Structure formats: C-alpha cells, structure tokens
Amino acid sequence: MKLWRVPVLAVPWCWLLVFLVAPLAIVVGISFAQPADGIPPYAPVLAWHDGWPILSLDPANYAVLLQDRFYLAALLRSVVVAGLSSLACLLLGYPMALAIARAPAAWRSRLLLLVILPFWTGFLLRVTAWIGLLRDDGWINGALLAVGLIHAPLRLLYTDFAMYVGIVYAYLPFMILPLYARLSKLDPALEAAAGDLGESPVGVFLRVTWPLSRPGVLAGMMLVFIPAVGEYVIPELLGGPGAQTIGRVLWTEFFDNHDWPMASAVAVALLGVLLVPAALLQRSGSRRFDDRGA
Amino acid sequence: MHRRALLTLGLLPGLLFLYLPIILLVLFSFNDARLLTGWAGFSWRWYAALWHDRALIEAALLSLQVAALAATGATLVGLAAGLALARFARFPGRAAFTAALAAPLVLPDVLIGLSLLLLFVATESAIGWPHNRGVATIVLAHVTFSLSYVAVVVQARLADTDPALEEAAADLGAPPWRVFLAVTLPLAAPALLSGWLLAFTLSLDDLVVASFVSGPGASTLPMVVFSSLHLGATPELDALATVMLAICAAALAIAGRIGVARRRRRL
C-alpha cells in the first residue's frame, strides 16, 4: 500500500474504533455489571487485584430481561409496531412510488422532491403538527363535531392509532425512495408485452410489476422497520402510557431509574433484534457500500 | 388517460397525508387564539412570542453552532472514508471497515446515545476528559452518526468518476497531495456539499443522542422543543416550525437556482 494512503484510512478507522466500536463494547460490558450508588451508578466490571485484571461478569440483568414479562412484552411490541408500520408504509408508498416512476420524465425529480420536502421541516415539528391534529380540541375532532358525526371529542392523541400515524408519517419517504429506484429501472416494455399477450392490468401487476419490484419492497420495509423498532420519540409523544416500546423502556431505565446496567442489557437485546433485518437489508441488493473499488 | 389516473390515484392520497398536517400547522401559527380549534383572526402574536423566547433562541443558536461544527467534522472524516472505499482497491480489514461504517446507518438513536455517553463517562474517570459534557460531546456524537452518510455520498460520486484522471495527473508528475487537491477534491465537491448539508440537517434534527451525551446547561433546540411538547403543543411551536419551513424552502430554491445556472453554463 502506498504510504500516503495510511493517514486517509487511519483517520476514519480510528474514529470508528473510538466512537463506535469501543462504546458498543462498553455497553456490552456494563450490561454485565450491577447497579451501585455513586457516579457512575454501577459497580466496575473490571477490577485490578495484585496487578491482575479480574473480570466479574454478572448475568443477572439478562436473567431479569428474560424472566420479567415487562421487557419481553416491550420487545415483542416494538417488533409488532415496526412490522405493522412498515406494512402501512408499503400500502401507502407503493402506489406513490409507482405513480412517480410512471410519470413523465420531466416531472419525476420534482415529484420526488415533493415527497422528501416535509422531511426537512424537522422531525419534532412534524410530530407537533400531528399533536395539533389529533388533540381532543384539535382539527380532526373539530371537523367531526362541526359536521355532526360525533357529539363528544374522540380520544385520538395518546393512543396506538396516533403512534402508528406518527411512525408512518415520519418514515414514509424511506419506503418510497428505494421502491422508486427499483420501479424506475423496470422496463415498461415488459408490462406492455404482458398486456399484449392478454394479461389483465391486475394480472400484469401481479405477475410482472410486483415480482420485479420485490427487492425494492424488501429494502423499503427494512428501512422503515429498523428505525421504527428503536423509536423513542413518537411512542413517547403520540402513544399512550401503555405504548411501552423497547426504545422507551431503555430511556426510562436510563433517565428515570438511573439503572445504567439494565439500560445496557436492554440495548444489547435491541441490537440482537436488529441483526435479522439488518442482514436482510444487506442482502436486498440495496447495499450502500458495494465493493466497486475492489 | 390511464397514466393520468394512476398519477392522481397513486399520489394524491399520499401527498394529502404528507402535506395536510403541515398546511394546517402553518395556517394556525397565524391564528390569534390559544386554542387550536376555531379561527380567531390573523395575528403575528406567536411570532412575537417566539422572538422574545430567550430559552428557545439560545437553544437555536447552540443547535446551529453544533450542526455547523458536526457537519464540517463529518465531511472531513466521511471524505477520507469515502475516498478509501472508492479508490483503494484492497486494504487490510476492508470488510470490517465497511461493516463499521454501515453500522451508524442502522443503529437506533437510543443505542448510539447510550453507548457514547458510557464512553464519555469512562474516559472522564480514566483521563479526566470530558470534564463537562456539552457542545464538544454533542459534536463528537453527531460526527459519529453522520460521517457514514457523507461517506456513502462521496463514495457514490467518486465511483462514477474515472480513476484514470487521477492516474494521468500522477503520471504527469503531480505528487499525491497535488493530485488530491487538483483532481480528486474538485471531482468530489458536489458530494461534499450535499454530504455537509445532510450532516447539518441530521444534527439539527437529533433529540435522542444529544439528550444522552449533553450535560446540564447545554440544551439544543430539539431538547427544548421536546420538553415543551411534553407540556402540550402551543401555537408558538407552530410558528417555529413555519420559520424552519420557510428557511428550508428558501435554501432549496437557492440551491435549485444554482443548479439550473450551472446546467445552463454547461450547455
């Protein structure tokens, strides 16, 4: 390797080792520690005894994690919420991606921009907009009351419904972009040929368009699923007190209970849950770091 | 006909879903009433309240400072990473490097925040740094989660350019630093700009990681907004969102103009 390449490679490597790999190793280490009074609030995992390092790993946190229904329920719930949200994003996003991919070429980039634009208003402020819509004295209730469909405000905010709406709203572009990338590369002649050979429009979609777009569907669903599993802000602000997702549990363990070892064990469990979808995303062909340089 | 039906049916519900909340939010930031239902006349009062909200303005200034620093850092480190991936065919640990670089794209915020806080606590007890968590720790954390995005953009850009350009410069006797400054950097420039902007917005948007790694006394804008959202949304926050939207639309319009002008010059 040429000498000048060493610093170019060393800088990002060292950065990732110090600020990504080492912190994750610390999380795993502290997940085996016991909480203690003091700063920091845990007993050290590594102690020095007569010049020898003594590693004391205590699996108690993981025992609690597996035995206490609360944690398992939160994990399961997060997976279900993320799965249903990515399904909802697919139902809403697929027609949008298909419409943009089939739009006149001059429109496509503008339509895509239109889809991404709300993204740049700020995540929290988009959640704010939904609070205004869903409140008891908010827009939706106001409209329904005015029309006379209901006589008392519906409880919309702080429900699972509000949480799903918020997650779909926040992550819809993650679904549309990979779907669009896939659908726009699909040769329309294939669909035309299927049509000429007597397939109905539904048949063309089911036998040609959908199968060919499946890698994009998988990539989009994983791109929604992965951030949604660990989501904290939306369940906290829009979901009810019962919407205990794993991200929220981790936050509570850390900030409210000051139980850093338990928060670390929850973090390791969350990491474990993410391994499968991350591997699927890697395989879906939308690999973001391909080995073109090799 | 068929095509137009697909366009309308496919796009309209989704776009309504995306834009209706924003339109209502902008509208109600001009409403002269505390409650959200009912129009009580046009008013700038929430913008005035925003202007006089010291805590919010200080937090916004802090956030802009953090975002500028973090975006610059992420661009520098991300450029090195993207360059290595696009131009160094083989190097020891390439697979591990690729995996580590992709990790921040899929790791949840709560995990990145918790792990970095634990790192800072550990280094504080080991080497006495950081004594106070605040701007510095937030910037380091933001660089860490956004450098991967910059690396993706830079790598994609460089993969589309011909390495022969750099080889030619080297064959003509340019030393490596000269090749980098005269050939590689101009080639990567558009990617660096979009990477910087991406890192800047990611930093401005981050609540969770900053909440973990910040200390008392350093509250970013999302942290202040979040704590006031816990007390309930107010039209003042609608006004803040409207201001952000206006800045963002203006930036896009300017970027679009520059892009159009550049394309014209090339023709």
Side-chain angles (χ1 to χ4, degrees):
Chain A
M1 200 159 83
K2 289 172 199 141
L3 198 63
W4 64 271
R5 291 187 165 183
V6 172
V8 174
L9 200 54
V11 169
W13 241 139
C14 289
W15 192 287
L16 290 170
L17 284 179
V18 172
F19 293 108
L20 185 81
V21 179
L24 289 178
I26 296 174
V27 168
V28 175
I30 291 177
S31 72
F32 287 103
Q34 279 307 299
D37 288 331
I39 302 168
Y42 56 86
V45 182
L46 190 70
W48 294 90
H49 209 74
D50 296 333
W52 292 93
I54 306 289
L55 204 58
S56 51
L57 298 180
D58 185 344
N61 294 315
Y62 290 100
V64 173
L65 206 62
L66 288 175
Q67 279 158 11
D68 194 326
R69 281 286 171 79
F70 176 69
Y71 297 104
L72 284 180
L75 263 176
L76 191 65
R77 199 188 168 96
S78 302
V79 171
V80 170
V81 167
L84 288 178
S85 302
S86 51
L87 210 59
C89 280
L90 179 66
L91 288 178
L92 193 61
Y94 198 101
M96 294 179 79
L98 189 62
I100 298 174
R102 296 282 176 274
W107 290 20
R108 283 181 209 155
S109 62
R110 282 192 194 162
L111 287 172
L112 268 187
L113 191 68
L114 210 57
V115 168
I116 307 168
L117 192 64
F119 224 27
W120 284 333
T121 53
F123 182 75
L124 273 178
L125 296 171
R126 275 176 293 147
V127 177
T128 314
W130 278 103
I131 295 179
L133 272 161
L134 296 169
R135 277 152 65 124
D136 285 357
D137 59 351
W139 263 95
I140 294 178
N141 271 316
L144 290 176
L145 283 170
V147 175
L149 272 174
I150 52 170
H151 299 289
L154 290 174
R155 185 109 183 107
L156 295 171
L157 191 57
Y158 309 128
T159 61
D160 278 4
F161 170 73
M163 175 176 65
Y164 280 110
V165 167
I167 293 177
V168 171
Y169 192 70
Y171 296 121
L172 187 60
F174 288 178
M175 174 62 77
I176 295 178
L177 292 180
L179 272 178
Y180 167 78
R182 187 77 200 173
L183 286 167
S184 63
K185 281 196 202 109
L186 198 155
D187 189 349
L190 291 172
E191 289 170 345
D196 289 346
L197 292 172
E199 279 286 8
S200 64
V202 176
V204 171
F205 177 79
L206 289 179
R207 302 226 175 120
V208 181
T209 318
W210 172 259
L212 286 173
S213 66
R214 260 199 314 237
V217 171
L218 185 64
M221 290 194 74
M222 291 306 114
L223 283 177
V224 175
F225 184 89
I226 289 169
V229 166
E231 181 61 43
Y232 161 74
V233 177
I234 298 172
E236 171 74 16
L237 286 177
L238 297 178
Q244 287 298 334
T245 55
I246 197 72
R248 234 174 142 184
V249 168
L250 195 160
W251 183 283
T252 314
E253 289 294 349
F254 183 83
F255 284 101
D256 302 337
N257 303 345
H258 300 286
D259 191 342
W260 293 16
M262 196 65 217
S264 300
V266 172
V268 173
L270 174 57
L271 200 58
V273 168
L274 281 175
L275 283 179
V276 175
L280 279 177
L281 180 65
Q282 192 80 12
R283 277 189 43 197
S284 73
S286 79
R287 285 186 303 167
R288 275 165 282 193
F289 298 106
D290 56 349
D291 283 12
R292 247 183 286 186
Chain B
M1 184 57 221
H2 180 71
R3 206 186 212 188
R4 188 171 291 172
L6 173 71
L7 255 180
T8 342
L9 282 176
L11 272 175
L12 210 59
L15 286 180
L16 271 178
F17 174 66
L18 283 176
Y19 279 92
L20 208 58
I22 293 178
I23 292 166
L24 291 175
L25 175 138
V26 170
L27 200 65
F28 265 58
S29 73
F30 294 106
N31 188 20
D32 191 13
R34 214 178 160 82
L35 288 177
L36 291 170
T37 31
W39 181 254
F42 181 88
S43 150
W44 289 103
R45 67 185 269 204
W46 301 112
Y47 291 85
L50 192 65
W51 184 247
H52 290 111
D53 192 332
R54 282 206 67 90
L56 211 61
I57 291 197
E58 266 168 30
L61 291 176
L62 184 88
S63 275
L64 288 174
Q65 189 193 343
V66 166
L69 287 170
T72 309
T75 305
L76 291 174
V77 185
L79 168 65
L83 188 63
L85 283 177
R87 287 289 188 263
F88 304 176
R90 251 165 276 129
F91 56 81
R94 183 176 170 117
F97 182 70
T98 312
L101 201 55
L105 302 172
V106 291
L107 287 178
D109 296 350
V110 280
L111 190 54
I112 294 178
L114 175 69
S115 67
L116 280 165
L117 174 80
L118 294 179
L119 171 80
F120 292 137
V121 169
T123 56
E124 191 188 354
S125 69
I127 57 172
W129 184 92
H131 192 56
N132 285 313
R133 289 191 295 276
V135 173
T137 48
I138 304 175
V139 168
L140 288 173
H142 284 183
V143 170
T144 305
F145 75 61
S146 47
L147 76 89
S148 307
Y149 293 86
V150 180
V152 174
V153 184
V154 168
Q155 191 212 2
R157 169 80 192 171
L158 287 179
D160 282 343
T161 62
D162 194 346
L165 291 171
E166 281 140 330
E167 283 155 19
D171 288 347
L172 292 171
W177 60 268
R178 187 92 195 268
V179 174
F180 175 74
L181 287 181
V183 183
T184 315
L185 207 55
L187 282 177
L192 292 180
L193 181 66
S194 50
W196 192 92
L197 284 173
L198 191 58
F200 188 84
T201 39
L202 285 171
S203 169
L204 267 190
D205 231 18
D206 167 63
L207 163 76
V208 172
V209 176
S211 300
F212 274 98
V213 300
S214 178
S219 294
T220 60
L221 186 62
M223 288 160 78
V224 172
V225 169
F226 183 65
S227 61
S228 58
L229 274 180
H230 260 143
L231 306 172
T234 63
E236 195 187 324
L237 291 177
D238 292 352
L240 176 67
T242 307
V243 170
M244 305 263 285
L245 195 64
I247 293 174
C248 171
L252 266 183
I254 293 170
R257 277 281 160 78
I258 294 173
V260 169
R262 200 178 282 161
R263 242 170 286 146
R264 274 205 196 119
R265 225 179 301 141
R266 222 179 281 160
L267 281 177

